[in-house]
Amino acid sequence: MTNNKITYGLILLLAAIFQNCASPEKVVYFQDIENLKAQTALVNYEPQLQVGDILTINVSAIDAEAAVPFNLYETPPTVGVMSSNAKPLTYIVDASGVIQFPVIGSVQVGGKTIKENTAYLTNLLKDYIKKPIVNIRLTNFRVTVLGEVKKPGTFQVANERISVVEALGLAGDLTIHGKRKEIQLIREQNGERKFVTLDLTSKKIFESPYFYLAQNDVIYVTPNKTKVNSSAVGTNTGVIISSISILLSLISILLK
């Protein structure tokens, strides 16, 4: 074996290693952000209620006794006295987008935002209560993040508003093997399943109608070729490559 052949072998090995290295264009987020025009206001995104959503609804009024029939609890509190242990019953949006509300009966809530439903229910209650105050909370707002992230899982969202960037942050950010240009968003809405591809390297993600997530959205981070190829070989591949590199270096030195 000549020195030229050894040198040639080392060059090929280094070329293979650098070929798998990620370029900045594939790793850096929001690369064209300097060209993004300042927005006068953030999009006021509110998710629409869907089938299977779980709600808590609290009704109050100046006359506390008048509001009692519209509040359901596992253990009903004493009239005029609210126990700290009183646990409200929840409402599940059925297949028709309807909940069964005390006294009023069927109320169509599906396809409307919480703000819209609050105004709608408040208007209905005016026939029964003077100046009613309605508070609606969505208790099962969660998103799932899978794929090439550091902490995949399902995350509960307390404030009912989260962006794709924030969700990825909850999952510990992407690993070096995640494709920043191919973030897959899976959303079920109105009986349909949508598949959307988002690009974290572009400022356009901030202008996307899918920048803010809906309840039960799933984010999947696609692995790059390096990760896919490494899964097809043994876990000791890195050690083997390092050993070969050291061996070739030693042979090169000994033959000088």
Side-chain angles (χ1 to χ4, degrees), residues 138-157:
L138 177 60
T139 64
N140 65 329
F141 193 116
R142 57 180 179 265
V143 295
T144 300
V145 185
L146 302 173
E148 284 301 318
V149 291
K150 295 175 182 176
K151 297 184 297 181
T154 298
F155 304 93
Q156 193 77 24
V157 181

Side-chain angles (χ1 to χ4, degrees), residues 149-171:
V149 291
K150 295 175 182 176
K151 297 184 297 181
T154 298
F155 304 93
Q156 193 77 24
V157 181
N159 61 1
E160 300 162 11
R161 176 185 169 99
I162 187 172
S163 70
V164 61
V165 176
E166 291 172 312
L168 290 170
L170 289 176

Side-chain angles (χ1 to χ4, degrees), residues 175-186:
T175 69
I176 194 64
H177 299 298
K179 286 187 177 181
R180 273 68 176 164
K181 292 177 177 288
E182 296 183 26
I183 308 298
Q184 304 297 328
L185 172 64
I186 305 169

Side-chain angles (χ1 to χ4, degrees), residues 6 30 56 66 90 99 120-121 125 129 140-141 143 156 158 161 169 192 213 221 224:
I6 294 172
F30 324 130
T56 58
T90 56
I99 62 170
Y120 178 59
L121 192 54
L125 286 168
I129 308 175
N140 65 329
F141 193 116
V143 295
Q156 193 77 24
R161 176 185 169 99
E192 297 181 354
L213 303 179
V221 180
N224 59 22

Side-chain angles (χ1 to χ4, degrees), residues 6 10 241-253:
I6 294 172
L10 287 171
I241 292 176
S242 298
S243 300
I244 292 174
S245 177
I246 294 172
L247 181 60
L248 289 174
S249 299
L250 289 173
I251 292 174
S252 177
I253 293 172

Side-chain angles (χ1 to χ4, degrees), residues 116-129:
E116 291 170 339
N117 277 304
T118 299
Y120 178 59
L121 192 54
T122 299
N123 189 56
L124 291 177
L125 286 168
K126 288 180 179 178
D127 293 335
Y128 305 91
I129 308 175

